[in-house]
């Protein structure tokens, strides 16, 4: 029998009005992948924070190799060779890829720390996970997907014995997920203990030996994965048998062109991008890491400039010098990076939802708070957001519930065009259906939706048309009747 590397016993953690964890016990063996699953708000993030020294438990204890440890700081966890790959990125945007990977543990050369040495070591780690990324690039210049890769390499650089993955594939495409799972299998074979947290249950079934299910801060069950299927696992998570809902797609009549890009380009980033999205239509942009689709949608939202081409809204050419301009023309943006771009974390749930409709709610310098609360409460019910009340600050919520608030605030605004970037990133299986239903409802209301998601099957389920990008150019265009994962993937490398 494999030795126990990590034991978490009877952990309890409370916040004002909330029991985040109640008598939670969890263990991990050497050479094992132990998955931790549950709906948003189940307590997974709090448990990981306790294990990584970010949050002090009210009671209970943690043992590593049988010895009790007090993990009161992430550096103490690292000293005990326990590393966490965060769901929410904790990188320094002004430093390079290599400097972020080795931050705090930089090697010294003959003349002290050398940039060339860092770059070589970073490249070796990137090669391990089959990713081509320039180690000298500033992290702030990278897409969210690329930053996630840096976060993974940063954890691997500590050569841990216990490695905790918190939604590591949320921003990766299927090919990169395959590479990462292969690396995890290799690490497992080398005797590492791996805690794996993911809402993608197909990954959990592929990679795990055991799974522990959390619900409302309690451990519901710990089972061998060999005795489970996805349906049984979902039933444990939600407390009832899960019956798949209707398809995410709703057939509808599309109207006139609401958004059009004609030959837009940005030097050394993307070139000659043309697309149209009609009222009531959902158009996806698919592509591998580095295809620059994120740069294209940010240009359409006015967050970055273009060198050539033009953007039209309802047939009229527009100048989008900033997101403020885009919003004024009725364009909304649901970013994947909710903490940096989607929310004001110290603000309340109500204020976050209401910030996109301030003009509608304001009168003589005062907010119509009753109207704001009615709008916000309606969206909380529609999206099944788990909160204690509209006054709860956004930073106290789980990642999935934060994501729903990002979506809710743009649903509240009555713009005609919505850009949705990975809207179900870090969201549990039950919430995914609610979010896709909300996006389909927006299309039914006549909104034009431009969609990005890392999961190709989700895109094919939701979209009317899909454009494919590779190396900054459009390489494919598919109508719904022609959707094929194989054909679309072929355009990824065209």
């Amino acid at each position: 029998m494999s030795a126990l590397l990590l034991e978490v016993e009877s952990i309890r953690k409370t916040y004002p009005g909330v029991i985040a964890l109640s008598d939670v016990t969890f263990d991990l063996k050497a050479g094992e992948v132990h998955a931790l699953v549950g709906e948003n708000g189940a307590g997974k993030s709090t448990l990981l924070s306790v294990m990584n020294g970010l949050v002090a438990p009210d009671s209970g204890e943690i043992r590593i190799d049988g010895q009790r440890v007090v993990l009161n700081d992430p550096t103490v966890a690292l000293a005990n060779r326990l590393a966490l790959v965060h769901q929410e990125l904790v990188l320094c945007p002004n430093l390079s890829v290599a400097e972020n990977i080795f931050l705090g543990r930089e090697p010294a050369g003959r003349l002290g720390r050398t940039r060339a040495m860092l770059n070589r070591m970073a490249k070796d780690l990137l090669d391990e996970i089959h990713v081509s990324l320039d180690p000298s690039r500033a992290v702030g210049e990278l897409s969210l997907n690329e930053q996630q890769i840096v976060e993974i390499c940063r954890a691997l650089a500590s050569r841990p014995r216990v490695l905790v993955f918190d939604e590591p594939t949320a921003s990766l495409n299927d090919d990169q997920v395959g590479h990462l799972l292969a690396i995890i299998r290799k690490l497992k074979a080398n005797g590492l203990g791996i805690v794996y947290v993911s809402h993608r249950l197909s990954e959990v079934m592929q990679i795990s030996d055991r799974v522990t299910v959390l619900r409302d801060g309690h451990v519901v069950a710990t089972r061998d994965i060999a005795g489970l299927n996805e349906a049984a696992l979902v039933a444990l998570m939600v407390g009832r048998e899960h019956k798949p809902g209707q398809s995410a797609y709703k057939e509808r009549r599309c109207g006139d062109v609401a958004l059009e890009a004609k030959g837009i380009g940005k030097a050394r980033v993307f070139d000659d991008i043309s697309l149209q999205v009609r009222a009531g239509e959902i158009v996806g942009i698919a592509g591998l890491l580095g295809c620059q689709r994120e740069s294209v949608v940010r240009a359409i939202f006015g967050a970055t400039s273009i060198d050539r081409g033009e953007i039209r809204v309802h047939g009229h050419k527009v100048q989008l010098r900033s997101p403020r301009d885009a919003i004024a023309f009725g364009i909304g943006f649901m970013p994947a990076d909710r903490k940096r771009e989607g929310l004001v974390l110290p603000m309340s749930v109500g204020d976050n939802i209401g910030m996109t409709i301030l003009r509608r709610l304001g009168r003589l310098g005062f907010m119509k708070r009753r109207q704001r609360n009615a709008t916000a409460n309606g969206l909380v019910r529609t999206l099944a957001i788990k909160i204690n009340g509209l006054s709860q600050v956004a930073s106290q919520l789980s990642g999935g519930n934060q994501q729903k608030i990002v979506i809710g605030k743009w649903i509240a605004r009555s713009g005609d065009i919505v850009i949705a970037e990975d809207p179900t990133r870090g969201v549990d299986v039950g919430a995914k259906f609610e979010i896709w239903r909300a996006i389909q409802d927006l299309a039914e209301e006549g909104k034009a939706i431009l969609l990005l998601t890392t999961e190709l099957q989700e895109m094919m389920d939701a979209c009317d048309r899909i454009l494919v990008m590779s190396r900054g150019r459009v390489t494919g265009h598919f109508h719904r009747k022609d959707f094929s994962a194989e054909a679309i993937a072929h355009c990824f490398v065209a």
Side-chain angles (χ1 to χ4, degrees):
M1 180 181 293
S2 298
L4 288 178
L5 283 181
L6 174 70
E7 298 169 85
V8 176
E9 186 171 324
S10 302
I11 294 293
R12 180 178 176 84
K13 179 63 184 177
T14 60
Y15 295 100
V18 178
I19 300 175
L21 297 173
S22 178
D23 195 30
V24 170
T25 296
F26 176 90
D27 62 54
L28 177 69
K29 302 173 185 176
E32 174 188 46
V33 178
H34 191 153
L36 185 64
V37 302
E39 293 189 280
N40 293 124
K44 303 186 302 298
S45 295
T46 304
L47 179 57
L48 296 192
S49 295
V50 168
M51 289 163 52
N52 194 48
L54 289 167
V55 169
D58 299 332
S59 59
E61 68 178 40
I62 297 174
R63 294 186 293 273
I64 295 178
D65 286 328
Q67 301 297 312
R68 186 176 184 272
V69 293
V70 178
L71 303 179
N72 53 10
D73 187 274
T75 59
V76 177
L78 279 175
N80 283 277
R81 298 182 67 186
L82 188 156
L84 171 64
V85 178
H86 296 268
Q87 176 185 1
E88 304 300 338
L89 305 176
V90 287
L91 302 172
C92 299
N94 295 327
L95 298 182
S96 72
V97 169
E99 288 168 332
N100 269 280
I101 289 174
F102 295 104
L103 187 63
R105 50 179 181 271
E106 299 89 343
R110 290 181 180 177
L111 299 177
R113 186 179 66 183
T114 67
R115 184 170 282 108
M117 181 184 294
L118 285 181
N119 288 345
R120 284 196 303 272
M121 294 175 66
K123 187 177 185 306
D124 289 342
L125 276 172
L126 289 162
D127 287 345
E128 283 185 26
I129 57 174
H130 307 283
V131 172
S132 178
L133 194 60
D134 183 356
S136 65
R137 283 186 68 188
V139 161
E141 298 175 357
L142 304 180
S143 69
L144 183 62
N145 298 351
E146 292 167 324
Q147 290 181 25
Q148 182 71 65
I149 293 292
V150 177
E151 188 74 63
I152 291 168
C153 287
R154 183 175 177 179
L156 291 175
S158 67
R159 301 303 178 190
R161 292 187 64 207
V162 176
L163 187 55
V164 182
F165 286 97
D166 184 10
E167 297 285 351
T169 63
S171 299
L172 305 183
N173 60 48
D174 291 343
D175 190 45
Q176 291 152 356
V177 169
H179 287 315
L180 179 61
L181 296 187
I183 290 166
I184 291 174
R185 291 187 183 100
K186 178 181 176 182
L187 296 172
K188 170 186 167 181
N190 290 338
L192 269 71
I194 295 167
V195 180
Y196 194 83
V197 179
S198 179
H199 288 305
R200 297 180 176 181
L201 298 186
S202 59
E203 294 173 14
V204 171
M205 301 301 295
Q206 286 182 62
I207 199 68
S208 306
D209 299 291
R210 288 190 293 159
V211 59
T212 289
V213 181
L214 285 178
R215 191 194 316 145
D216 298 327
H218 296 78
V219 172
V220 174
T222 296
R223 301 279 180 84
D224 290 335
I225 207 74
L228 288 174
N229 55 35
E230 278 194 43
L233 189 54
V234 171
L236 288 170
M237 288 169 57
V238 302
R240 60 187 182 278
E241 184 180 356
H242 176 70
K243 296 181 179 179
Q246 63 187 32
S247 167
Y249 182 75
K250 295 180 181 178
E251 193 164 351
R252 58 196 167 268
R253 185 184 299 276
C254 297
D256 295 332
V257 174
L259 172 68
E260 183 176 15
K262 299 182 69 174
I264 63 172
K266 183 175 178 65
R268 296 184 296 279
V269 182
F270 57 86
D271 186 45
D272 195 28
I273 304 297
S274 294
L275 60 85
Q276 292 183 339
V277 189
R278 298 178 178 277
E281 184 180 33
I282 303 178
V283 175
I285 306 179
L288 298 180
L289 179 69
C291 73
Q292 301 299 338
R293 59 182 183 159
E294 294 89 354
S295 300
V296 169
V297 297
R298 276 165 168 69
I300 292 172
F301 191 58
T304 187
S305 61
I306 57 174
D307 302 323
R308 53 199 171 274
E310 62 184 46
I311 296 171
R312 292 179 172 268
V313 175
H314 297 300
H316 301 289
K317 183 179 177 180
V318 296
Q319 296 290 330
L320 302 177
R321 300 180 183 87
S322 70
R324 184 188 297 271
D325 291 340
I327 292 169
F329 283 111
I331 302 174
F333 184 69
M334 302 175 183
D337 192 346
R338 51 186 169 256
K339 289 199 171 182
R340 287 201 308 172
E341 300 176 325
L343 297 171
V344 181
L345 293 174
M347 286 174 53
S348 71
V349 172
D351 286 341
N352 268 283
I353 292 176
M355 67 171 57
T356 59
I357 51 174
L358 286 175
R359 288 191 178 182
R360 197 163 79 219
L361 295 175
R363 184 179 181 185
L364 301 177
F366 295 94
M367 178 185 287
K368 300 175 183 176
R369 192 164 294 275
R370 183 177 297 177
Q371 185 176 337
R372 186 213 69 172
N373 290 351
T375 299
N377 279 319
L379 288 166
V380 166
R381 288 191 297 271
T382 298
L383 295 172
I385 304 174
K386 295 181 180 179
I387 59 173
N388 293 329
L390 296 181
S391 61
Q392 186 175 8
V393 297
S395 61
Q396 294 177 346
L397 302 180
S398 69
N401 284 306
Q402 289 175 351
Q403 183 73 7
K404 291 182 189 178
I405 295 171
V406 173
I407 292 166
K409 74 178 191 179
W410 289 108
I411 291 176
R413 187 174 178 85
S414 56
D416 297 327
I417 300 161
V418 176
I419 300 170
E421 184 183 51
D422 229 349
T424 59
R425 178 177 179 262
V427 170
D428 65 64
V429 64
K432 278 189 177 186
F433 176 71
E434 293 156 2
I435 289 173
W436 286 124
R437 182 180 61 190
I439 289 174
Q440 291 291 338
D441 287 346
L442 288 174
E444 288 256 306
E445 294 168 11
K447 315 288 188 191
I449 314 289
L450 187 58
L451 172 70
L452 277 64
T453 175
T454 54
E455 296 193 44
L456 180 58
Q457 187 58 55
E458 286 189 353
M459 187 175 286
M460 291 194 297
D461 287 345
C463 290
D464 299 282
R465 291 186 293 118
I466 294 175
L467 302 180
V468 186
M469 286 186 62
S470 175
R471 291 174 289 187
R473 291 179 174 270
V474 174
T475 54
H477 182 193
F478 296 84
H479 291 269
R480 185 168 183 83
K481 62 182 177 61
D482 301 317
F483 285 178
S484 158
E486 184 178 355
I488 292 171
H490 181 74
C491 297
F492 287 168
V493 292

